[in-house]
Amino acid sequence: MSGTTLRMEKWPVLGRHEQAAAWLTIWTDLGRAPRTIDAYARGLAEYLLMCEREAVDPVTANRAHIAVYVRELTSRPHRRGTNVVSIDSGTGLANATIQQRLVPVRLFYDFLMEEGLRESNPVGRGRYTPGRQRSGHQRGLVPRLAKLPWIPSEQQWLGILQVAPEEPVRNRVMLALAYDAALRREELCSLRTDDLDPAHRTLRVRAETTKNRLERVVPYSASTGVLMSAYLAHRATVSRARGRCSCRSPGATTGSR
């Protein structure tokens, strides 16, 4: 069963709209990552469901209908409920999530324009207008907000370091590698034993696991090298098969990972 068929079963509304199914199939055939296709399918499915509730033909929908969809996203009850106390935990999706939901809708209308079924894209995008004040940039349909990254305090770091020594060697070496090489979660969890070069204390981050699809080689510290040697030595006693560093060694118990 193809990935497109599975997605149609998961989101039946996609199968009810011929153009949506054709658009999703094209992206799948172009070899886009499965997670990207899933995100596109979910975002477009939610939009098509809104169109069905509002009795709107998505092919002829206008900017007003897109505004209804945006209003729905910004007023949707929070999945964590009302018990979560934070500035942005009330109702509605986060700004970044709304931007992600609009991307497949925008791309879908780009497709309809290319097919000659529409003359304009109701979603639109931020663009540069010569002569316009404030650097000539026109804001997109939904303003893009950027939050500062969360940086743990000194006390929080100390708390992590106090817990880490009690963890299995696998967990300790993963924490050390993430810190030394500034690895993203996917990069860290996708590391394989053949990506490591203990002799030169470097590791290879494969292109398919990076956000910019560029491979890189990064060093790690001598202390992390000691942990790495201990982990690899333990792993060799269980299995010599190559594989992901983040996986539990076959047959290992919780205390000996």
Side-chain angles (χ1 to χ4, degrees):
M1 185 177 294
S2 67
T4 301
T5 303
L6 290 173
R7 293 180 182 95
M8 297 298 178
E9 293 181 354
K10 186 174 183 179
W11 294 287
V13 65
L14 296 172
R16 297 196 293 268
H17 296 268
E18 180 181 355
Q19 297 300 330
W23 173 80
L24 192 63
T25 300
I26 289 175
W27 279 101
T28 303
D29 292 342
L30 287 174
R32 292 299 188 273
R35 289 185 181 179
T36 299
I37 299 298
D38 286 342
Y40 284 177
R42 177 181 178 179
L44 185 59
E46 290 188 354
Y47 172 69
L48 294 176
L49 287 173
M50 185 279 299
C51 288
E52 290 185 350
R53 288 194 298 270
E54 299 292 327
V56 175
D57 182 359
V59 176
T60 60
N62 55 37
R63 199 172 180 85
H65 300 127
I66 301 297
V68 173
Y69 180 54
V70 172
R71 182 184 63 189
E72 179 180 304
L73 295 177
T74 56
S75 59
R76 181 177 300 178
H78 198 282
R79 64 182 178 86
R80 295 179 181 175
T82 58
N83 294 328
V84 179
V85 180
S86 66
I87 295 177
D88 57 354
S89 66
T91 59
L93 301 177
N95 180 264
T97 305
I98 294 176
Q99 300 286 351
Q100 292 174 354
R101 293 289 194 275
L102 288 176
V103 167
V105 180
R106 181 187 299 116
L107 294 176
F108 173 64
Y109 281 113
D110 282 343
F111 165 74
L112 295 182
M113 291 172 61
E114 293 172 356
E115 294 296 307
L117 300 176
R118 289 187 63 97
E119 294 183 355
S120 62
N121 191 324
V123 180
R125 48 174 54 83
R127 56 187 180 273
Y128 177 79
T129 305
R132 188 179 177 91
Q133 295 181 352
R134 297 184 180 179
S135 302
H137 289 282
Q138 183 172 341
R139 192 174 68 176
L141 187 64
V142 176
R144 187 177 296 275
L145 307 179
K147 293 184 178 181
L148 292 175
W150 174 74
I151 300 177
S153 65
E154 182 177 358
Q155 189 61 37
Q156 289 169 328
W157 270 121
L158 290 176
I160 294 174
L161 296 178
Q162 288 174 355
V163 173
E166 305 301 323
E167 289 293 307
V169 65
R170 183 198 64 171
N171 296 352
R172 283 182 283 150
V173 74
M174 298 302 285
L175 174 62
L177 286 175
Y179 180 83
D180 283 352
L183 300 178
R184 295 171 50 249
R185 180 176 59 183
E186 183 177 359
E187 296 170 345
L188 178 65
C189 294
S190 300
L191 279 179
R192 297 176 56 86
T193 52
D194 49 1
D195 293 328
L196 305 173
D197 184 356
H200 297 90
R201 289 209 312 266
T202 61
L203 58 87
R204 176 174 63 100
V205 185
R206 285 170 283 116
E208 60 268 25
T209 68
T210 64
K211 198 170 186 178
N212 58 6
R213 293 299 183 259
L214 294 176
E215 183 176 302
R216 67 182 190 274
V217 176
V218 291
Y220 54 84
S221 65
S223 56
T224 300
V226 174
L227 284 173
M228 177 64 68
S229 298
Y231 171 68
L232 294 178
H234 163 70
R235 194 176 190 279
T237 63
V238 181
S239 172
R240 293 188 177 276
R242 296 184 181 275
R244 289 191 178 186
C245 295
S246 59
C247 293
R248 181 181 300 182
S249 300
T253 62
T254 303
S256 60
R257 287 177 286 174

